[in-house]
Each structure stands twice: as C-alpha cells, then as structure tokens.
Amino acid sequence: MQKIATREAYGDALVELGRENPDVVVLDADLSKSTKTINFRKHFPERFFNLGIAEQNMLGTAAGLAAAGKIPFCSTFAVFAPGRSFDQLRNSIAYPKLNVKIGASHAGITVGEDGATHQSVEDIALVRAVPNLTVFVPADAVETKKAVMAAAEIKGPVYIRLGRAAVPVLHGEDFVFEPGKAVVMREGGDAAIIATGVMVAEALAAAEELSREGISVRVLNIHTIKPLDTEAIISAAKETGAIVTAEEHSVIGGLGSAVAETVCEHCPVPVYRVGIPDVFGESGKPGELMEKYGLKARHLAAAVRKAIRR
Amino acid sequence: MEAEKIAWLEDKARQIRAHIIKMTAAAGSGHPGGSLSAADIVTALYFHLLRIDPQNPAWPDRDRFILSKGHAAPLLYAALAERGFFPVEELLTLRKLGSRLQGHPDMKSLPGVEVSTGSLGQGLSAGNGMALAAKLDGRDYRVFVLLGDGEIQEGMVWEAAMAAAHYRLDNVTAFLDYNGLQIDGPITEVMSPEPVADKWRAFGWDVQEIDGHDIGQIIKAVEVARQVKGKPQMIVAKTCKGKGVSFMENQVDWHGTAPKPEQAEKALAELRCER
C-alpha cells in the first residue's frame, strides 16, 4: 500500500488551491520545509508570508488578512498552534469567526525523535472546546487534499490536524469528503472502532485481524471532530453495542471523550478509549512509540475483545 | 490647521469624554481612565483624519482603526456613535445583556468595529495583516492601531513590531497611549517598558513623540507619518490617565472602576455637560 504523509498532501493541496483561488495566502513560522508550505512559496512567493519564529503574531496577522478578505492558511507544528498561540486562536480568530485556516502539522507522537516537547497530544482537546471552529483530522493523503479544498469553501475558522510520518493511502481519488460526515470504512455488527487520523489505518488492520476470529467490526472514520457526526456514532452504538475509539492523541478531551459524551447521552454502551494515556511522549521511532503507547492494531483488537465481553 | 477647526475637535473630544462618563456610570463597570486618556487621539482620527464612511462601514478602501487596548471600548463606541455608525442613544446599553456594545469590542456585532480586541497585545498583528492585504490588493488605505503603554509588555506586540518593519508596512501608523499607569500601578514599577521611543526605533519604526492631548500635534504627527516611506510609524503620545475629570486624572484606581452617580454628576459638570 502506498504511503504518504498528510503534511505532504497538505503542501500539494495548497498549491492547487492557490492556482484556483487568488485570495488564498499562506503563512508560516519558519517551518515551511517541514509543514510543506514551501511548495506554495515556490509557486506564489508574493502570497506567502514567513512570520519567523513567532506563532502568536502569525495567527494575529492571519486574522487581519482574513478581515481584509483574504483566505489565510497558517502552518506550524500543532504544539505551537494551538499550543503556543491558543489565545490568538480563541480571541483574534474564532470569536470573530474569521476566515482563517490552521494547518497544524507534526501532531501526535509520530513526530518521533524530537520527543515530548514537539509531540502534541492535547491539541484536539484544545481546539474542540473553542466555539465557531471546524476541526478536521484527515486519515490519509486523499482526505487531506479534500479537507483543504473543503476548508477553503467554509466561511469561518478551520483547524486541520496533520502528521509528519508517511501513512497508508486508504481512499481512491473519487472519495467524496463531506465535512461533518463520518465515513464507514468497513461494515460490521459486533463492535465498532471509531477512529480518526492516522489511527483509521490501524483500525482497519484491527478489524481484519478480528474478522479471522469471527468478530465483525465496523470501522467509522471521523475525519471531522467538530461538528461531530453524532448520528453515525449513535447508530454504531445501537447497532453494534460495543465501541472502541482510536486516536493518536491523549485519551482526555479528544475523539474518545467526544464519542463517550455522545454515547452516554443517547445510547449507553461500553466505550473503551484507545489513545495516549495521560502522559507526555518521548524520543523514538514513530513505530516504536505507537507500540509503546498502545496505538497499534493489536491494541485496538484487544480493546474490542474487552468491549464485547462486557 | 486653522484654530477654528481645532477648537471644534476639542469640543468634540469633550462630548466624547462626557459619553464615556455617562456610559460607564450607566453600566456600573468599565474602564474610564484609559478611555479618557486616548480621547483626543481617537477624536482627531474619527473626526478629521480617517477616510471612512459611516453609511458604508464595509467600504473596501476605508482606513482601518484598531483599538488594540480593547478595554477602552467606551471611547471607541462614543466616537463611532457620534460619527454616525449607530444611534447615540444606544451608548447607554454598554455592557448590558443583549447589547451590541460588548464589554470589549466585537467586530461581528457592531458596525465600525474593525477587529475584536480585549485580550491585550493582538491588535497590531491584525493591523499588519490588513496592511499586507492592502499592499497585495493595491489599495491605498492606512491602518491605525492604538496601543496601551501597559499593553506593550505583551511579547506579541514586539513580534508584530518586528514583522511590520520587516515587511516595510509604511501603511501602518500606531499610537501609544503613554499615560504611565496600569492596573497594578505605574508602568515603571510594574514592568518598565522604558526606553519606549528607543525600543520602537530599534525595531525599525519611524518614531515621533507628542503631547497626546494637543489635537494640533496629533494631526500634524499623522501628516508627517503619512509621508514616511518603507517604515511603519509609531506616535508616542504622552497622555494623562483620566484626562478631563480632575478627580480621575493620574489616579490608577480609575483604570477599571465606573463612577458612582454623584461622581458622574461632578465629572459631567467639569466637562460642561448636562446629565
């Protein structure tokens, strides 16, 4: 299976978007080679602004550009936006509902060797709590590209969570990305794995493993954390009776929390959250970290077996 | 500039100050001190310097004014209402449930408010963004930003100061409302930003220092700033917190305290205004 990092797809999508829409401008904070906004800079240097290592000012500048009719895409690592610039995101962008898009790369522990300071494990929890924000967590390159295009069409702030490491391409080019609409990646009736981002591929592998044991697992891909497709989650709870959530993020405040909130209110069934336990990450290879923090397909499969037994 | 016009602007500033007293008194809360200190600057901008059309607040070529020190909202609202952006009667709804006049300015609710501010340090960055957009679009509007002297303790201000010079944003003119006081005391005691003018110069700005209560100096400084090419301009305006109301002048406690009815009456009498 072909593997592409979602940040790579983001960089390519920005170029395509730049060709289509002259109002699109791109901002970066000295990480354009890593976030891949460098591609946009090469094609449209006059519409690219490097703000230096100053993320707060980058988001504030984007707010002003948006207020003057531009569609700014800002990029840095997720630890720095929303991490370092949360107040600017909240007050300068989300409160006035300005048309700013944040492409936050290097999210989660698959950043790898840089270690805990650069591994954002709480960004979804932060952005999910902010009113007016749309939150996308694409699972693969195709989804990323379509999420970028969709973000440009949305009138308001959008957060797009991107990863550093190459991940399997799960969709064909004909995939239709509908904001706020979960995607059933695989049907199943015994349990559901509700996954987001890079964990969708792991969820599919877990479902495959479980099918060999005669357990039929639905895999639901939540590419939009907000607004959340509560209907699809409630259906999964009703129709399977056992849920496991999967995210490359803390188990506090992210997808697992969102799903648990929804299921508790509408259709209580067992929900097990697979994610990074309440700890910071560390240096290591992405695969080693996924193994150590329990984010591999086999960990998901074990959680499903536990959920079904209850 | 003829003396008659200056006298007219001074009288307008007096009316704006009276509104600030009435509004904060009616609300029972708010920030009169820093609203009064910047009243002459904002009056000169809205009634003489800004290219704006109250009938068309979204006019693409309008000049932008950003109140980065968002707690001086009563001042901004008074100027906008007097200039005709919304009815003057609405001023007394300040801070009340359902009002468009939020405790800090909300660009989505009130015409004429260019940026939602309140969390300090963010207005100049937004101003830079608008100035960059103007250059991209080939528009000749200017962006004016009013900063507080306590506010420039925020690191983000200096990120923005660096960026404005880096991108040679000569369409950005900032004012510093240099009244010397912040919530916890004199700025030099809390966290000194001195030497203020030198800092802005060192960041690559054109800097002028003026008396922020002298309308003639304010107008002249902006005229000089407009001629500067390739650099953003900072006008450090020495002001007096609470200016125009004797018992509020230079009193730190009037930063965020509303006048009680009898205090408001006394203040309005000093401002030669009926209650």
Side-chain angles (χ1 to χ4, degrees):
Chain A
M1 195 179 267
Q2 194 193 5
K3 281 187 159 190
I4 304 173
T6 51
R7 61 174 169 141
E8 296 280 358
Y10 173 72
D12 294 342
L14 285 182
V15 174
E16 196 173 320
L17 193 59
R19 276 198 199 101
E20 283 175 14
N21 192 333
D23 285 333
V24 170
V25 296
V26 173
L27 288 71
D28 207 301
D30 195 40
L31 288 170
S32 64
K33 290 174 197 162
S34 300
T35 62
K36 301 300 170 189
T37 59
I38 194 167
N39 302 355
F40 187 93
R41 186 176 84 183
K42 280 180 191 148
H43 286 85
F44 312 103
E46 71 292 347
R47 283 193 271 152
F48 176 86
F49 301 104
N50 202 329
L51 275 306
I53 308 166
E55 297 78 14
Q56 302 177 16
N57 181 49
M58 175 171 71
L59 264 62
T61 305
L65 280 157
K70 301 295 170 196
I71 307 175
F73 278 72
C74 305
S75 282
T76 179
F77 294 173
V79 277
F80 308 133
R84 198 181 178 113
S85 49
F86 181 77
D87 184 36
Q88 288 71 22
L89 172 63
R90 181 191 188 275
N91 282 308
S92 278
I93 294 173
Y95 172 47
K97 219 178 171 182
L98 286 172
N99 204 15
V100 175
K101 323 298 170 185
I102 295 168
S105 76
H106 293 56
I109 54 168
T110 50
V111 171
E113 292 82 348
D114 275 355
T117 55
H118 285 55
Q119 293 164 345
S120 169
V121 296
E122 62 289 274
D123 56 301
I124 298 178
L126 285 169
V127 295
R128 189 166 84 83
V130 178
N132 294 342
L133 257 187
T134 296
V135 179
F136 291 151
V137 184
D140 76 347
V142 175
E143 226 170 79
T144 301
K145 187 176 151 195
K146 307 218 169 185
V148 169
M149 299 300 171
E153 295 298 316
I154 292 171
K155 294 262 178 289
V158 179
Y159 179 78
I160 308 172
R161 188 183 207 239
L162 306 162
R164 171 177 181 264
V167 292
V169 177
L170 306 173
H171 298 290
E173 280 298 329
D174 57 347
F175 169 70
V176 179
F177 180 89
E178 239 183 292
K181 199 92 188 126
V183 182
V184 177
M185 304 293 288
R186 182 180 172 124
E187 270 301 352
D190 297 329
I193 301 178
I194 302 180
T196 194
V198 303
M199 292 302 287
V200 174
E202 295 295 333
L204 287 168
E208 186 59 33
E209 181 184 328
L210 289 162
S211 75
R212 292 195 287 270
E213 298 167 22
I215 301 170
S216 145
V217 175
R218 178 180 307 181
V219 175
L220 202 56
N221 167 10
I222 305 284
H223 54 56
T224 308
I225 300 279
K226 193 176 180 174
L228 189 66
D229 188 349
T230 51
E231 214 172 286
I233 292 166
I234 294 164
S235 298
K238 280 186 180 153
E239 290 159 22
T240 70
I243 286 176
V244 168
T245 62
E247 62 198 304
E248 190 207 359
H249 180 272
S250 169
V251 291
I252 296 172
L255 174 71
S257 295
V259 168
E261 289 155 16
T262 304
V263 171
C264 279
E265 282 182 4
H266 298 280
C267 178
V269 299
V271 175
Y272 285 96
R273 295 165 301 149
V274 172
I276 298 155
D278 186 18
V279 293
F280 289 107
E282 63 186 287
S283 293
K285 291 198 170 61
E288 293 170 342
L289 293 165
M290 293 282 277
E291 187 65 46
K292 172 160 182 181
Y293 292 95
L295 301 179
K296 298 296 288 180
R298 66 181 181 84
H299 301 108
L300 288 171
V304 168
R305 289 184 202 104
K306 195 160 87 171
I308 288 173
R309 274 201 302 274
R310 247 196 41 202
Chain B
M1 175 117 227
E2 67 272 39
E4 206 176 307
K5 175 79 193 214
I6 290 186
W8 183 84
L9 286 167
E10 284 169 349
D11 194 57
K12 187 55 80 177
R14 181 188 58 78
Q15 293 168 36
I16 299 272
R17 285 192 163 92
H19 282 309
I20 292 166
I21 297 300
K22 289 182 193 171
M23 292 163 78
T24 50
S29 68
H31 299 83
S35 294
L36 293 167
S37 68
D40 300 300
I41 296 165
V42 169
T43 301
L45 285 167
Y46 274 92
F47 293 89
H48 183 68
L49 294 163
L50 292 180
R51 183 172 75 193
I52 46 173
D53 176 6
Q55 301 310 310
N56 186 8
W59 178 30
D61 286 317
R62 72 193 183 281
D63 286 340
R64 272 74 167 168
F65 171 73
I66 299 172
L67 182 71
S68 192
K69 45 174 284 186
H71 54 276
L75 166 60
L76 175 62
Y77 298 157
L80 290 174
E82 279 288 329
R83 193 69 173 76
F85 282 88
F86 58 88
V88 169
E89 301 75 59
E90 206 174 329
L91 289 175
L92 292 180
T93 67
L94 174 71
R95 290 177 165 249
K96 295 205 161 76
L97 189 64
S99 172
R100 298 193 290 177
L101 280 63
Q102 289 291 296
H104 292 82
D106 173 9
M107 64 183 284
K108 286 288 171 205
S109 71
L110 197 62
V113 175
E114 296 287 357
V115 175
S116 298
T117 51
S119 177
L120 292 174
Q122 303 193 23
L124 183 56
S125 300
N128 288 349
M130 290 173 173
L132 286 169
K135 292 201 180 261
L136 277 176
D137 293 342
R139 295 186 189 275
D140 69 348
Y141 63 79
R142 297 191 78 72
V143 183
F144 293 88
V145 182
L146 178 64
L147 294 154
D149 53 0
E151 179 182 18
I152 64 170
Q153 291 161 353
E154 287 282 5
M156 182 188 185
V157 170
W158 301 100
E159 294 182 1
M162 205 184 306
H166 178 82
Y167 283 106
R168 302 167 62 86
L169 298 179
D170 49 15
N171 48 353
V172 170
T173 305
F175 278 94
L176 185 73
D177 180 13
Y178 191 19
N179 62 37
L181 294 175
Q182 60 187 117
I183 296 177
D184 278 351
I187 55 168
T188 48
E189 283 178 23
V190 176
M191 180 50 64
S192 177
E194 299 295 347
V196 167
D198 287 347
K199 279 200 173 75
W200 289 93
R201 267 187 213 107
F203 272 76
W205 287 56
D206 178 84
V207 178
Q208 300 178 67
E209 293 175 84
I210 64 162
D211 174 350
H213 298 308
D214 183 328
I215 299 256
Q217 284 191 34
I218 295 165
I219 289 168
K220 178 140 184 293
V222 170
E223 282 165 358
V224 169
R226 279 190 175 128
Q227 304 307 315
V228 173
K229 296 285 166 233
K231 276 181 169 191
Q233 315 91 42
M234 165 55 77
I235 299 169
V236 177
K238 187 78 196 77
T239 57
C240 164
K241 200 153 186 163
K243 177 74 176 178
V245 177
S246 61
F247 59 91
M248 291 186 175
E249 287 188 0
N250 284 318
Q251 296 301 310
V252 74
D253 288 343
W254 288 104
H255 170 89
T257 311
K260 296 196 167 33
E262 62 279 10
Q263 292 169 319
E265 208 163 312
K266 193 167 168 242
L268 291 172
E270 287 187 18
L271 292 164
R272 291 179 285 115
C273 180
E274 296 293 317
R275 235 222 109 155

